[in-house]
Amino acid sequence: AQKVTQAQTEISVVEKEDVTLDCVYETRDTTYYLFWYKQPPSGELVFLIRRNSFDEQNEISGRYSWNFQKSTSSFNFTITASQVVDSAVYFCALSFSQGGSEKLVFGKGTKLTVNP
Amino acid sequence: DTGVSQDPRHKITKRGQNVTFRCDPISEHNRLYWYRQTLGQGPEFLTYFQNEAQLEKSRLLSDRFSAERPKGSFSTLEIQRTEQGDSAMYLCASSPRTEKNTEAFFGQGTRLTVV
């Protein structure tokens, strides 16, 4: 079964704190893709990152960084020096490379609140 | 590139009525998806089009739901005889077929409330 688990339902931090959002996935496929999306209150899902299963290099983009570990089936997301504008719901998602739709399977999301 | 556009943004309907939503994908994207999102949950896949062909449907898509993409451009999602359980955000996404599993671009969604 293909599944994404985001165990943290809600996280609240104070501005400038670092915060890590956890994502654990399950799949039997050897080739798959992992994503993070941000959903601000406006509702539109905003793409943040895409990573394929063969690329375990960690990635940094400004204040955002991602840690992909196949050994633990995790793809965690860290925001450094959080800001109020980072407040949103963050979704981790998985898609498979079996042809067909390549649809996304989402976790339930983690609601991040950054307080001033 | 104006992004994925969905209309209407909000819809309130009485139980038993039919509703139709429209999605205009990014113009050069040949893949189009519909997802449904309920409160506190992640989006769940409903159906997928490649150009005008509907190639995959989720078991979530009951007989009361139908989706079309007649000319491979915009798409419509119709729900017949709405039920209170249909209340949700309906999200449309599109992506190009330029490489494997490329990211999908989402619209702002249509929030449906069935009263």
Side-chain angles (χ1 to χ4, degrees):
Chain A
Q2 326 285 1
K3 186 179 176 182
V4 174
T5 301
Q6 294 181 256
Q8 305 150 308
T9 306
E10 291 193 42
I11 299 176
S12 182
V13 299
V14 177
E15 206 169 17
K16 297 185 184 176
E17 283 186 29
D18 298 347
V19 58
T20 295
L21 309 181
D22 297 334
C23 172
V24 173
Y25 62 91
E26 296 175 31
T27 179
R28 293 194 186 121
D29 297 303
T30 55
T31 303
Y32 52 89
Y33 294 78
L34 295 163
F35 301 78
W36 276 94
Y37 281 85
K38 174 182 180 180
Q39 189 174 42
S42 61
E44 182 175 349
L45 283 155
V46 177
F47 166 77
L48 296 177
I49 189 170
R50 164 182 173 265
R51 178 53 52 86
N52 76 55
S53 53
F54 297 108
D55 181 3
E56 287 193 71
Q57 264 194 324
N58 291 331
E59 182 157 339
I60 298 174
S61 175
R63 296 183 297 106
Y64 295 171
S65 62
W66 290 269
N67 184 326
F68 177 28
Q69 293 196 335
K70 285 179 79 169
S71 60
T72 56
S73 297
S74 65
F75 187 44
N76 296 337
F77 172 32
T78 297
I79 302 174
T80 303
S82 59
Q83 299 176 1
V84 173
V85 293
D86 295 327
S87 297
V89 181
Y90 291 86
F91 291 97
C92 181
L94 172 68
S95 76
F96 330 108
S97 186
Q98 293 175 332
S101 70
E102 299 177 356
K103 60 183 178 285
L104 293 163
V105 174
F106 286 87
K108 292 187 176 183
T110 297
K111 182 178 180 181
L112 174 65
T113 302
V114 181
N115 298 297
Chain B
D1 181 354
T2 57
V4 177
S5 176
Q6 292 188 245
D7 184 68
R9 293 289 311 281
H10 303 274
K11 178 72 177 179
I12 300 174
T13 190
K14 290 184 179 179
R15 192 174 51 185
Q17 297 293 305
N18 298 344
V19 294
T20 300
F21 310 141
R22 177 179 169 124
C23 170
D24 286 273
I26 294 171
S27 59
E28 64 270 23
H29 287 184
N30 59 353
R31 298 176 162 206
L32 188 146
Y33 303 81
W34 285 98
Y35 289 83
R36 182 171 69 185
Q37 185 179 19
T38 54
L39 203 61
Q41 302 295 316
E44 295 175 293
F45 169 78
L46 291 179
T47 191
Y48 160 68
F49 289 86
Q50 184 170 307
N51 300 311
E52 67 277 7
Q54 187 175 21
L55 297 183
E56 188 171 344
K57 292 196 291 187
S58 163
R59 286 174 295 176
L60 293 175
L61 217 62
S62 77
D63 292 344
R64 298 184 296 105
F65 287 70
S66 62
E68 294 183 343
R69 194 182 182 196
K71 296 182 180 179
S73 56
F74 73 92
S75 175
T76 58
L77 177 67
E78 181 184 16
I79 309 174
Q80 296 182 327
R81 304 181 303 282
T82 52
E83 301 172 357
Q84 286 189 321
D86 297 331
S87 295
M89 175 79 86
Y90 290 83
L91 294 163
C92 178
S94 69
S95 67
R97 195 180 172 84
T98 51
E99 58 180 306
K100 295 288 283 179
N101 300 79
T102 190
E103 64 269 24
F105 295 82
F106 283 81
Q108 289 186 299
T110 295
R111 182 169 295 284
L112 173 66
T113 303
V114 182
V115 297

mmCIF file with all atom_site columns, all heavy atoms in Angstrom, chain A residues 10 24 26 28 39 44 48 51 53-55 58 73 80 82 93 106 112 114:
data_model
loop_
_atom_site.group_PDB
_atom_site.id
_atom_site.type_symbol
_atom_site.label_atom_id
_atom_site.label_alt_id
_atom_site.label_comp_id
_atom_site.label_asym_id
_atom_site.label_entity_id
_atom_site.label_seq_id
_atom_site.pdbx_PDB_ins_code
_atom_site.Cartn_x
_atom_site.Cartn_y
_atom_site.Cartn_z
_atom_site.occupancy
_atom_site.B_iso_or_equiv
_atom_site.pdbx_formal_charge
_atom_site.auth_seq_id
_atom_site.auth_comp_id
_atom_site.auth_asym_id
_atom_site.auth_atom_id
_atom_site.pdbx_PDB_model_num
ATOM 1   N N   . GLU A 1 10  ? -0.437 19.594 14.452 1.00 0.00 ? 10  GLU A N   1
ATOM 2   C CA  . GLU A 1 10  ? -0.254 21.042 14.571 1.00 0.00 ? 10  GLU A CA  1
ATOM 3   C C   . GLU A 1 10  ? 1.043  21.329 15.304 1.00 0.00 ? 10  GLU A C   1
ATOM 4   O O   . GLU A 1 10  ? 1.412  20.630 16.239 1.00 0.00 ? 10  GLU A O   1
ATOM 5   C CB  . GLU A 1 10  ? -1.414 21.674 15.352 1.00 0.00 ? 10  GLU A CB  1
ATOM 6   C CG  . GLU A 1 10  ? -2.732 21.663 14.637 1.00 0.00 ? 10  GLU A CG  1
ATOM 7   C CD  . GLU A 1 10  ? -3.769 22.570 15.310 1.00 0.00 ? 10  GLU A CD  1
ATOM 8   O OE1 . GLU A 1 10  ? -3.411 23.686 15.713 1.00 0.00 ? 10  GLU A OE1 1
ATOM 9   O OE2 . GLU A 1 10  ? -4.921 22.145 15.419 1.00 0.00 ? 10  GLU A OE2 1
ATOM 10  N N   . VAL A 1 24  ? 6.774  10.457 6.884  1.00 0.00 ? 24  VAL A N   1
ATOM 11  C CA  . VAL A 1 24  ? 7.169  9.064  6.705  1.00 0.00 ? 24  VAL A CA  1
ATOM 12  C C   . VAL A 1 24  ? 6.283  8.468  5.621  1.00 0.00 ? 24  VAL A C   1
ATOM 13  O O   . VAL A 1 24  ? 5.078  8.695  5.603  1.00 0.00 ? 24  VAL A O   1
ATOM 14  C CB  . VAL A 1 24  ? 7.010  8.270  8.025  1.00 0.00 ? 24  VAL A CB  1
ATOM 15  C CG1 . VAL A 1 24  ? 7.268  6.795  7.791  1.00 0.00 ? 24  VAL A CG1 1
ATOM 16  C CG2 . VAL A 1 24  ? 7.958  8.814  9.083  1.00 0.00 ? 24  VAL A CG2 1
ATOM 17  N N   . GLU A 1 26  ? 5.284  5.041  2.866  1.00 0.00 ? 26  GLU A N   1
ATOM 18  C CA  . GLU A 1 26  ? 5.313  3.604  2.634  1.00 0.00 ? 26  GLU A CA  1
ATOM 19  C C   . GLU A 1 26  ? 5.050  3.349  1.161  1.00 0.00 ? 26  GLU A C   1
ATOM 20  O O   . GLU A 1 26  ? 4.080  3.866  0.599  1.00 0.00 ? 26  GLU A O   1
ATOM 21  C CB  . GLU A 1 26  ? 4.216  2.888  3.435  1.00 0.00 ? 26  GLU A CB  1
ATOM 22  C CG  . GLU A 1 26  ? 4.342  2.972  4.934  1.00 0.00 ? 26  GLU A CG  1
ATOM 23  C CD  . GLU A 1 26  ? 3.151  2.346  5.634  1.00 0.00 ? 26  GLU A CD  1
ATOM 24  O OE1 . GLU A 1 26  ? 2.565  1.384  5.094  1.00 0.00 ? 26  GLU A OE1 1
ATOM 25  O OE2 . GLU A 1 26  ? 2.781  2.829  6.727  1.00 0.00 ? 26  GLU A OE2 1
ATOM 26  N N   . ARG A 1 28  ? 6.012  0.050  -2.003 1.00 0.00 ? 28  ARG A N   1
ATOM 27  C CA  . ARG A 1 28  ? 6.777  -1.129 -2.408 1.00 0.00 ? 28  ARG A CA  1
ATOM 28  C C   . ARG A 1 28  ? 7.568  -0.834 -3.686 1.00 0.00 ? 28  ARG A C   1
ATOM 29  O O   . ARG A 1 28  ? 8.378  -1.650 -4.115 1.00 0.00 ? 28  ARG A O   1
ATOM 30  C CB  . ARG A 1 28  ? 5.842  -2.300 -2.667 1.00 0.00 ? 28  ARG A CB  1
ATOM 31  C CG  . ARG A 1 28  ? 5.169  -2.804 -1.424 1.00 0.00 ? 28  ARG A CG  1
ATOM 32  C CD  . ARG A 1 28  ? 4.537  -4.162 -1.657 1.00 0.00 ? 28  ARG A CD  1
ATOM 33  N NE  . ARG A 1 28  ? 3.766  -4.556 -0.470 1.00 0.00 ? 28  ARG A NE  1
ATOM 34  C CZ  . ARG A 1 28  ? 2.480  -4.828 -0.483 1.00 0.00 ? 28  ARG A CZ  1
ATOM 35  N NH1 . ARG A 1 28  ? 1.805  -4.758 -1.599 1.00 0.00 ? 28  ARG A NH1 1
ATOM 36  N NH2 . ARG A 1 28  ? 1.860  -5.178 0.618  1.00 0.00 ? 28  ARG A NH2 1
ATOM 37  N N   . GLN A 1 39  ? 0.073  24.997 1.876  1.00 0.00 ? 39  GLN A N   1
ATOM 38  C CA  . GLN A 1 39  ? -1.290 25.480 1.636  1.00 0.00 ? 39  GLN A CA  1
ATOM 39  C C   . GLN A 1 39  ? -1.580 26.624 2.601  1.00 0.00 ? 39  GLN A C   1
ATOM 40  O O   . GLN A 1 39  ? -1.927 26.421 3.753  1.00 0.00 ? 39  GLN A O   1
ATOM 41  C CB  . GLN A 1 39  ? -2.320 24.365 1.807  1.00 0.00 ? 39  GLN A CB  1
ATOM 42  C CG  . GLN A 1 39  ? -3.725 24.769 1.366  1.00 0.00 ? 39  GLN A CG  1
ATOM 43  C CD  . GLN A 1 39  ? -4.705 23.604 1.412  1.00 0.00 ? 39  GLN A CD  1
ATOM 44  O OE1 . GLN A 1 39  ? -4.711 22.808 2.354  1.00 0.00 ? 39  GLN A OE1 1
ATOM 45  N NE2 . GLN A 1 39  ? -5.553 23.489 0.383  1.00 0.00 ? 39  GLN A NE2 1
ATOM 46  N N   . GLU A 1 44  ? -4.774 27.643 -2.022 1.00 0.00 ? 44  GLU A N   1
ATOM 47  C CA  . GLU A 1 44  ? -4.042 27.103 -3.166 1.00 0.00 ? 44  GLU A CA  1
ATOM 48  C C   . GLU A 1 44  ? -2.798 26.352 -2.708 1.00 0.00 ? 44  GLU A C   1
ATOM 49  O O   . GLU A 1 44  ? -2.004 26.863 -1.931 1.00 0.00 ? 44  GLU A O   1
ATOM 50  C CB  . GLU A 1 44  ? -3.641 28.257 -4.078 1.00 0.00 ? 44  GLU A CB  1
ATOM 51  C CG  . GLU A 1 44  ? -2.911 27.854 -5.332 1.00 0.00 ? 44  GLU A CG  1
ATOM 52  C CD  . GLU A 1 44  ? -2.660 29.060 -6.232 1.00 0.00 ? 44  GLU A CD  1
ATOM 53  O OE1 . GLU A 1 44  ? -3.233 30.136 -5.968 1.00 0.00 ? 44  GLU A OE1 1
ATOM 54  O OE2 . GLU A 1 44  ? -1.886 28.920 -7.187 1.00 0.00 ? 44  GLU A OE2 1
ATOM 55  N N   . LEU A 1 48  ? 6.703  23.096 -3.320 1.00 0.00 ? 48  LEU A N   1
ATOM 56  C CA  . LEU A 1 48  ? 7.963  23.487 -2.690 1.00 0.00 ? 48  LEU A CA  1
ATOM 57  C C   . LEU A 1 48  ? 9.145  22.694 -3.221 1.00 0.00 ? 48  LEU A C   1
ATOM 58  O O   . LEU A 1 48  ? 10.188 23.266 -3.544 1.00 0.00 ? 48  LEU A O   1
ATOM 59  C CB  . LEU A 1 48  ? 7.879  23.314 -1.171 1.00 0.00 ? 48  LEU A CB  1
ATOM 60  C CG  . LEU A 1 48  ? 6.867  24.188 -0.440 1.00 0.00 ? 48  LEU A CG  1
ATOM 61  C CD1 . LEU A 1 48  ? 6.857  23.838 1.045  1.00 0.00 ? 48  LEU A CD1 1
ATOM 62  C CD2 . LEU A 1 48  ? 7.172  25.659 -0.638 1.00 0.00 ? 48  LEU A CD2 1
ATOM 63  N N   . ARG A 1 51  ? 11.474 15.319 -5.206 1.00 0.00 ? 51  ARG A N   1
ATOM 64  C CA  . ARG A 1 51  ? 12.698 14.527 -5.066 1.00 0.00 ? 51  ARG A CA  1
ATOM 65  C C   . ARG A 1 51  ? 12.423 13.113 -5.530 1.00 0.00 ? 51  ARG A C   1
ATOM 66  O O   . ARG A 1 51  ? 11.418 12.523 -5.139 1.00 0.00 ? 51  ARG A O   1
ATOM 67  C CB  . ARG A 1 51  ? 13.135 14.569 -3.609 1.00 0.00 ? 51  ARG A CB  1
ATOM 68  C CG  . ARG A 1 51  ? 14.362 13.767 -3.238 1.00 0.00 ? 51  ARG A CG  1
ATOM 69  C CD  . ARG A 1 51  ? 15.536 14.099 -4.112 1.00 0.00 ? 51  ARG A CD  1
ATOM 70  N NE  . ARG A 1 51  ? 15.828 15.521 -4.199 1.00 0.00 ? 51  ARG A NE  1
ATOM 71  C CZ  . ARG A 1 51  ? 16.585 16.174 -3.333 1.00 0.00 ? 51  ARG A CZ  1
ATOM 72  N NH1 . ARG A 1 51  ? 17.131 15.541 -2.323 1.00 0.00 ? 51  ARG A NH1 1
ATOM 73  N NH2 . ARG A 1 51  ? 16.810 17.439 -3.504 1.00 0.00 ? 51  ARG A NH2 1
ATOM 74  N N   . SER A 1 53  ? 13.426 8.942  -5.882 1.00 0.00 ? 53  SER A N   1
ATOM 75  C CA  . SER A 1 53  ? 13.909 7.965  -4.904 1.00 0.00 ? 53  SER A CA  1
ATOM 76  C C   . SER A 1 53  ? 15.385 7.627  -5.056 1.00 0.00 ? 53  SER A C   1
ATOM 77  O O   . SER A 1 53  ? 15.972 6.996  -4.173 1.00 0.00 ? 53  SER A O   1
ATOM 78  C CB  . SER A 1 53  ? 13.076 6.681  -4.996 1.00 0.00 ? 53  SER A CB  1
ATOM 79  O OG  . SER A 1 53  ? 13.050 6.202  -6.326 1.00 0.00 ? 53  SER A OG  1
ATOM 80  N N   . PHE A 1 54  ? 15.977 8.015  -6.167 1.00 0.00 ? 54  PHE A N   1
ATOM 81  C CA  . PHE A 1 54  ? 17.388 7.701  -6.384 1.00 0.00 ? 54  PHE A CA  1
ATOM 82  C C   . PHE A 1 54  ? 18.315 8.837  -5.963 1.00 0.00 ? 54  PHE A C   1
ATOM 83  O O   . PHE A 1 54  ? 19.534 8.703  -6.056 1.00 0.00 ? 54  PHE A O   1
ATOM 84  C CB  . PHE A 1 54  ? 17.629 7.352  -7.846 1.00 0.00 ? 54  PHE A CB  1
ATOM 85  C CG  . PHE A 1 54  ? 16.877 6.124  -8.271 1.00 0.00 ? 54  PHE A CG  1
ATOM 86  C CD1 . PHE A 1 54  ? 15.788 6.228  -9.113 1.00 0.00 ? 54  PHE A CD1 1
ATOM 87  C CD2 . PHE A 1 54  ? 17.225 4.879  -7.790 1.00 0.00 ? 54  PHE A CD2 1
ATOM 88  C CE1 . PHE A 1 54  ? 15.071 5.099  -9.491 1.00 0.00 ? 54  PHE A CE1 1
ATOM 89  C CE2 . PHE A 1 54  ? 16.519 3.744  -8.162 1.00 0.00 ? 54  PHE A CE2 1
ATOM 90  C CZ  . PHE A 1 54  ? 15.437 3.854  -9.012 1.00 0.00 ? 54  PHE A CZ  1
ATOM 91  N N   . ASP A 1 55  ? 17.718 9.920  -5.528 1.00 0.00 ? 55  ASP A N   1
ATOM 92  C CA  . ASP A 1 55  ? 18.521 11.086 -5.169 1.00 0.00 ? 55  ASP A CA  1
ATOM 93  C C   . ASP A 1 55  ? 18.360 11.369 -3.689 1.00 0.00 ? 55  ASP A C   1
ATOM 94  O O   . ASP A 1 55  ? 17.410 12.022 -3.278 1.00 0.00 ? 55  ASP A O   1
ATOM 95  C CB  . ASP A 1 55  ? 18.074 12.294 -6.002 1.00 0.00 ? 55  ASP A CB  1
ATOM 96  C CG  . ASP A 1 55  ? 18.890 13.536 -5.703 1.00 0.00 ? 55  ASP A CG  1
ATOM 97  O OD1 . ASP A 1 55  ? 19.840 13.448 -4.882 1.00 0.00 ? 55  ASP A OD1 1
ATOM 98  O OD2 . ASP A 1 55  ? 18.580 14.592 -6.275 1.00 0.00 ? 55  ASP A OD2 1
ATOM 99  N N   . ASN A 1 58  ? 20.577 15.772 0.410  1.00 0.00 ? 58  ASN A N   1
ATOM 100 C CA  . ASN A 1 58  ? 19.752 16.767 1.082  1.00 0.00 ? 58  ASN A CA  1
ATOM 101 C C   . ASN A 1 58  ? 19.759 18.053 0.258  1.00 0.00 ? 58  ASN A C   1
ATOM 102 O O   . ASN A 1 58  ? 20.698 18.304 -0.498 1.00 0.00 ? 58  ASN A O   1
ATOM 103 C CB  . ASN A 1 58  ? 20.256 17.027 2.493  1.00 0.00 ? 58  ASN A CB  1
ATOM 104 C CG  . ASN A 1 58  ? 20.028 15.825 3.385  1.00 0.00 ? 58  ASN A CG  1
ATOM 105 O OD1 . ASN A 1 58  ? 19.097 15.053 3.184  1.00 0.00 ? 58  ASN A OD1 1
ATOM 106 N ND2 . ASN A 1 58  ? 20.886 15.664 4.381  1.00 0.00 ? 58  ASN A ND2 1
ATOM 107 N N   . SER A 1 73  ? 12.658 5.658  5.448  1.00 0.00 ? 73  SER A N   1
ATOM 108 C CA  . SER A 1 73  ? 11.487 6.079  4.653  1.00 0.00 ? 73  SER A CA  1
ATOM 109 C C   . SER A 1 73  ? 10.962 7.426  5.138  1.00 0.00 ? 73  SER A C   1
ATOM 110 O O   . SER A 1 73  ? 9.761  7.606  5.381  1.00 0.00 ? 73  SER A O   1
ATOM 111 C CB  . SER A 1 73  ? 10.370 5.028  4.738  1.00 0.00 ? 73  SER A CB  1
ATOM 112 O OG  . SER A 1 73  ? 10.787 3.814  4.184  1.00 0.00 ? 73  SER A OG  1
ATOM 113 N N   . THR A 1 80  ? 14.277 27.099 8.824  1.00 0.00 ? 80  THR A N   1
ATOM 114 C CA  . THR A 1 80  ? 15.208 27.774 9.724  1.00 0.00 ? 80  THR A CA  1
ATOM 115 C C   . THR A 1 80  ? 14.764 29.219 9.929  1.00 0.00 ? 80  THR A C   1
ATOM 116 O O   . THR A 1 80  ? 14.299 29.860 8.988  1.00 0.00 ? 80  THR A O   1
ATOM 117 C CB  . THR A 1 80  ? 16.623 27.743 9.125  1.00 0.00 ? 80  THR A CB  1
ATOM 118 O OG1 . THR A 1 80  ? 16.984 26.379 8.891  1.00 0.00 ? 80  THR A OG1 1
ATOM 119 C CG2 . THR A 1 80  ? 17.632 28.392 10.048 1.00 0.00 ? 80  THR A CG2 1
ATOM 120 N N   . SER A 1 82  ? 12.130 30.686 11.437 1.00 0.00 ? 82  SER A N   1
ATOM 121 C CA  . SER A 1 82  ? 10.763 30.781 10.925 1.00 0.00 ? 82  SER A CA  1
ATOM 122 C C   . SER A 1 82  ? 10.235 32.220 10.989 1.00 0.00 ? 82  SER A C   1
ATOM 123 O O   . SER A 1 82  ? 10.653 33.036 11.821 1.00 0.00 ? 82  SER A O   1
ATOM 124 C CB  . SER A 1 82  ? 9.845  29.860 11.727 1.00 0.00 ? 82  SER A CB  1
ATOM 125 O OG  . SER A 1 82  ? 9.866  30.206 13.099 1.00 0.00 ? 82  SER A OG  1
ATOM 126 N N   . ALA A 1 93  ? 3.772  14.489 0.022  1.00 0.00 ? 93  ALA A N   1
ATOM 127 C CA  . ALA A 1 93  ? 3.035  13.655 -0.925 1.00 0.00 ? 93  ALA A CA  1
ATOM 128 C C   . ALA A 1 93  ? 3.986  12.722 -1.656 1.00 0.00 ? 93  ALA A C   1
ATOM 129 O O   . ALA A 1 93  ? 5.195  12.978 -1.762 1.00 0.00 ? 93  ALA A O   1
ATOM 130 C CB  . ALA A 1 93  ? 2.274  14.527 -1.923 1.00 0.00 ? 93  ALA A CB  1
ATOM 131 N N   . PHE A 1 106 ? -1.333 12.103 -0.664 1.00 0.00 ? 106 PHE A N   1
ATOM 132 C CA  . PHE A 1 106 ? -0.958 13.108 0.332  1.00 0.00 ? 106 PHE A CA  1
ATOM 133 C C   . PHE A 1 106 ? -1.059 12.562 1.751  1.00 0.00 ? 106 PHE A C   1
ATOM 134 O O   . PHE A 1 106 ? -1.891 11.697 2.055  1.00 0.00 ? 106 PHE A O   1
ATOM 135 C CB  . PHE A 1 106 ? -1.895 14.324 0.237  1.00 0.00 ? 106 PHE A CB  1
ATOM 136 C CG  . PHE A 1 106 ? -1.661 15.214 -0.934 1.00 0.00 ? 106 PHE A CG  1
ATOM 137 C CD1 . PHE A 1 106 ? -2.268 14.958 -2.153 1.00 0.00 ? 106 PHE A CD1 1
ATOM 138 C CD2 . PHE A 1 106 ? -0.828 16.323 -0.823 1.00 0.00 ? 106 PHE A CD2 1
ATOM 139 C CE1 . PHE A 1 106 ? -2.062 15.786 -3.243 1.00 0.00 ? 106 PHE A CE1 1
ATOM 140 C CE2 . PHE A 1 106 ? -0.622 17.162 -1.903 1.00 0.00 ? 106 PHE A CE2 1
ATOM 141 C CZ  . PHE A 1 106 ? -1.233 16.898 -3.114 1.00 0.00 ? 106 PHE A CZ  1
ATOM 142 N N   . LEU A 1 112 ? 1.238  24.600 10.643 1.00 0.00 ? 112 LEU A N   1
ATOM 143 C CA  . LEU A 1 112 ? 2.289  25.345 11.321 1.00 0.00 ? 112 LEU A CA  1
ATOM 144 C C   . LEU A 1 112 ? 1.802  26.760 11.603 1.00 0.00 ? 112 LEU A C   1
ATOM 145 O O   . LEU A 1 112 ? 1.346  27.466 10.701 1.00 0.00 ? 112 LEU A O   1
ATOM 146 C CB  . LEU A 1 112 ? 3.551  25.401 10.460 1.00 0.00 ? 112 LEU A CB  1
ATOM 147 C CG  . LEU A 1 112 ? 4.682  26.284 10.986 1.00 0.00 ? 112 LEU A CG  1
ATOM 148 C CD1 . LEU A 1 112 ? 5.226  25.720 12.291 1.00 0.00 ? 112 LEU A CD1 1
ATOM 149 C CD2 . LEU A 1 112 ? 5.802  26.414 9.956  1.00 0.00 ? 112 LEU A CD2 1
ATOM 150 N N   . VAL A 1 114 ? 3.267  30.253 13.184 1.00 0.00 ? 114 VAL A N   1
ATOM 151 C CA  . VAL A 1 114 ? 4.440  30.988 13.654 1.00 0.00 ? 114 VAL A CA  1
ATOM 152 C C   . VAL A 1 114 ? 3.938  32.280 14.282 1.00 0.00 ? 114 VAL A C   1
ATOM 153 O O   . VAL A 1 114 ? 3.337  33.123 13.619 1.00 0.00 ? 114 VAL A O   1
ATOM 154 C CB  . VAL A 1 114 ? 5.415  31.288 12.497 1.00 0.00 ? 114 VAL A CB  1
ATOM 155 C CG1 . VAL A 1 114 ? 6.635  32.025 13.030 1.00 0.00 ? 114 VAL A CG1 1
ATOM 156 C CG2 . VAL A 1 114 ? 5.821  30.001 11.792 1.00 0.00 ? 114 VAL A CG2 1
#
